[in-house]
């Protein structure tokens, strides 16, 4: 009888979804780390303070100041010869795609056909490590990521499988018929070539379904193709997306490539406009008034990409946005590779090193270093929706920070080479060398529910 009752109790507990009562494992006291910063930059104010101590307990910052008492037993990290600043944000990138001159002739439509989600997920994991090594602790990963490679990457990093930035994934870009493709009828109708790179959504019902699917599969932002096709999305369509996306607290980014599309996105009150090329000074003024972020994806002219003429326009557009006080994020669209991406000594550049070259455009637009730093950090955190929990080097925040030689407030080129990286209070890079051991685990040590 007793046995039967025990069995029944067990069944009831299972049905009710109750966890078996188990004593919580004894928690080791959180590790305490003290960083001695020779110079500490606050990009919010564009100022620096000398000889600061940052006290970190576990994953978070506990205290910051010149006279913080370092408790006995704390690990002391001496960065007194370096400048410490918050980690960087790429507010528009694509971690799970790398299109190439060979074999795709830079046609990223072909990458979808030739490389499946598993390979692209592994590329994304590698790109995450490379980005973190260059100081990028947050990335907005906005589409063209095969079958939810982006949300899987976020989940794997959050659960503790491997190091990487905090990923703000969008899932597949939502677009009206065709997305960014112009597929032939047989590929579109019989082979469903659009999916998973794009979700076709035309009617209000389809739009709602698409947004909810992305949220279900882990999206933390929603990416919309505003005007990839002449039929595009109306102001009402965009408003519907914004309304649905509120359920996941997701900001909505619109891919914009025409002035008309830009106007519709602005009228609908979108959160972020992706790509700055179609925007006029009038658009910039309206964006500033409404607080709409710009992720301009401002490609510099380099040995591996771009042209002088195109670069000139890009820098002029960025300057106009700056002059009109648009909230500017650092953003790149960095999702390609070719064999000219090498350093002077012949070694390959990493995805992170290529990404940071985009400051060339900001320099050419004559934007002061303090404002470039703000775009690279504070405005990026805000656009990513993480500003309340990570980014600023303040008590209560996750300890994500980097250190560089020199003073980026005087010479922004200092951010090109990051010698120290901390993510969630753990050292990822020190003295210019990656030390990622603490980030690799054989299971979801931070909890399998984390996504
Ligand atoms: Zn893009």
């Amino acid at each position: 009888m007793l046995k039967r009752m025990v069995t029944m109790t067990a069944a009831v507990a299972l049905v009710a979804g109750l966890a078996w009562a188990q004593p919580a494992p004894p928690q080791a006291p959180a590790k305490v780390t003290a960083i001695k910063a020779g110079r500490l930059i606050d990009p919010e104010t564009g100022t620096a303070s000398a000889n600061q101590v940052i006290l970190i307990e576990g994953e978070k910052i506990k205290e910051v100041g010149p006279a913080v008492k370092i408790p006995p037993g704390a690990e002391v990290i001496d960065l007194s010869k370096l400048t410490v600043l918050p980690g960087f944000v790429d507010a528009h990138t694509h971690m799970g795609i790398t299109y190439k001159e060979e074999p795709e002739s830079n046609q990223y439509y072909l990458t979808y056909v030739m490389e499946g989600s598993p390979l692209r997920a592994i590329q994304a994991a590698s790109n995450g490590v490379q980005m973190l090594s260059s100081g990028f602790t947050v990335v907005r990963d906005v589409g063209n990521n095969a079958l939810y490679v982006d949300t899987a990457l976020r989940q794997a990093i959050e659960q503790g499988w491997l190091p990487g930035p905090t990923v703000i994934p969008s899932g597949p870009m939502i677009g009206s018929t065709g997305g960014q493709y112009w597929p032939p009828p047989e590929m579109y109708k019989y082979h469903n070539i659009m999916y998973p790179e794009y979700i076709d959504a035309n009617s209000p019902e389809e739009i709602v379904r698409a947004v909810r699917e992305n949220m279900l599969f882990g999206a933390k932002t929603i990416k919309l193709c505003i005007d990839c096709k002449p039929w595009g999305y109306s102001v009402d369509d965009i408003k519907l997306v914004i309304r649905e996306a509120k359920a996941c607290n997701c900001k909505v980014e619109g891919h914009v490539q025409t002035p008309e599309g830009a106007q519709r996105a602005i009228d609908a009150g979108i959160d972020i406009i992706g790509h700055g090329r179609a925007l006029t000074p009038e658009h910039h003024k309206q964006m500033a008034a409404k607080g709409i972020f710009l992720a301009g994806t401002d490609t510099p002219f380099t040995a591996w990409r771009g042209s002088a003429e195109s670069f000139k326009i890009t820098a002029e557009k960025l300057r106009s946005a700056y002059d009109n006080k648009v909230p500017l994020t650092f953003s790149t669209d960095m999702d390609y590779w070719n064999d000219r991406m090498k350093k002077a000594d012949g070694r390959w550049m990493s995805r992170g090193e290529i990404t940071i070259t985009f400051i060339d455009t900001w320099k050419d637009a004559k934007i002061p270093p303090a404002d470039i730093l703000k775009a690279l950090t504070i405005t990026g955190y805000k656009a990513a929706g993480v500003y309340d929990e990570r980014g600023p080097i303040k008590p209560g925040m996750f300890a994500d920070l980097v250190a560089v030689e020199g003073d980026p407030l005087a010479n922004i080129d200092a951010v090109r080479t990051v010698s120290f990286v901390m993510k969630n209070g753990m050292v990822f890079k020190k003295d210019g060398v990656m030390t990622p051991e603490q980030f690799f685990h054989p299971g979801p040590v931070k909890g399998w529910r984390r996504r």
Side-chain angles (χ1 to χ4, degrees), residues 233-253:
Y233 283 129
S234 68
V235 173
D236 282 343
D237 292 334
I238 304 166
K239 280 184 174 167
L240 176 60
V241 172
I242 295 168
R243 205 159 64 230
E244 278 300 310
K246 286 227 161 37
C248 72
N249 244 333
C250 292
K251 289 193 179 6
V252 177
E253 174 174 341

Side-chain angles (χ1 to χ4, degrees), residues 27-68:
Q27 292 286 312
K31 187 182 173 198
V32 178
T33 311
I35 292 179
K36 290 182 171 177
R39 189 191 281 118
L40 177 62
I41 289 182
D42 178 1
E44 191 115 51
T45 56
T47 56
S49 317
N51 301 322
Q52 300 288 301
V53 173
I54 305 159
L55 198 65
I56 295 143
E57 197 177 272
E59 296 189 315
K60 293 188 174 174
I61 297 167
K62 198 173 177 215
E63 257 184 288
V64 184
V68 172

Side-chain angles (χ1 to χ4, degrees), residues 104-373:
E104 302 111 298
S105 305
N106 279 332
Q107 294 292 323
Y108 67 96
Y109 300 176
L110 292 177
T111 313
Y112 307 147
V113 179
M114 301 185 75
E115 295 187 349
S117 300
L119 178 59
R120 286 171 61 184
I122 294 167
Q123 293 173 10
S126 176
N127 283 332
V129 171
Q130 296 176 53
M131 290 293 282
L132 191 57
S133 183
S134 286
F136 288 89
T137 52
V138 177
V139 296
R140 292 187 67 257
D141 194 355
V142 285
N144 297 127
N145 275 311
L147 198 59
Y148 294 93
V149 157
D150 52 346
T151 61
L153 176 63
R154 176 191 168 93
Q155 201 170 351
I157 293 168
E158 291 297 298
Q159 291 184 352
W161 287 98
L162 80 168
T166 297
V167 179
I168 311 298
S170 70
M173 214 187 294
I174 299 169
S176 50
T177 303
Q180 289 182 286
Y181 285 170
W182 291 92
E186 57 269 50
M187 297 310 288
Y188 182 79
K189 292 179 76 79
Y190 303 121
H191 296 285
N192 198 17
I193 189 76
M194 305 302 306
Y195 194 79
E197 293 299 331
Y198 301 90
I199 302 181
D200 265 356
N202 288 286
S203 63
E205 295 90 287
E206 286 176 356
I207 289 170
V208 168
R209 176 183 289 272
V211 174
R212 289 181 185 177
E213 266 185 25
N214 277 350
M215 295 191 293
L216 176 66
F217 298 139
K220 302 293 175 193
T221 185
I222 297 295
K223 176 84 176 292
L224 200 60
C225 236
I226 301 290
D227 54 1
C228 297
K229 291 288 179 290
W231 41 92
Y233 283 129
S234 68
V235 173
D236 282 343
D237 292 334
I238 304 166
K239 280 184 174 167
L240 176 60
V241 172
I242 295 168
R243 205 159 64 230
E244 278 300 310
K246 286 227 161 37
C248 72
N249 244 333
C250 292
K251 289 193 179 6
V252 177
E253 174 174 341
H255 166 106
V256 159
Q257 60 191 49
T258 64
E260 299 74 28
Q263 192 57 56
R264 295 200 299 274
I266 293 168
D267 288 346
I270 207 156
D271 298 295
I272 301 158
I273 286 187
H275 313 299
R277 292 287 290 223
L279 303 177
T280 63
E282 183 49 41
H283 291 135
H284 291 147
K285 289 185 178 70
Q286 296 175 51
M287 288 172 70
K290 288 192 163 185
I292 298 173
F293 295 101
L294 175 61
T297 63
D298 314 286
T299 305
F301 179 32
T302 53
W304 55 86
R305 189 79 173 177
S307 67
E309 311 84 73
S310 176
F311 178 55
K312 189 165 170 284
I313 298 167
T314 303
E316 282 169 5
K317 294 273 181 184
L318 182 60
R319 179 71 209 191
S320 165
Y322 175 77
D323 286 339
N324 285 298
K325 303 195 163 40
V326 177
L328 298 179
T329 65
F330 178 88
S331 61
T332 65
D333 226 359
M334 186 43 246
D335 53 5
Y336 39 86
W337 175 83
N338 63 54
D339 61 9
R340 297 181 299 285
M341 290 171 164
K342 285 184 175 172
K343 302 182 218 188
D345 64 6
R347 283 185 300 164
W348 293 111
M349 297 176 78
S350 73
R351 174 73 80 111
E353 287 168 329
I354 300 162
T355 295
I356 199 66
T357 62
F358 280 64
I359 60 167
D360 286 349
T361 314
W362 295 71
K363 285 172 67 182
D364 204 76
K366 305 223 161 15
I367 296 175
D371 290 320
I372 302 178
L373 275 186

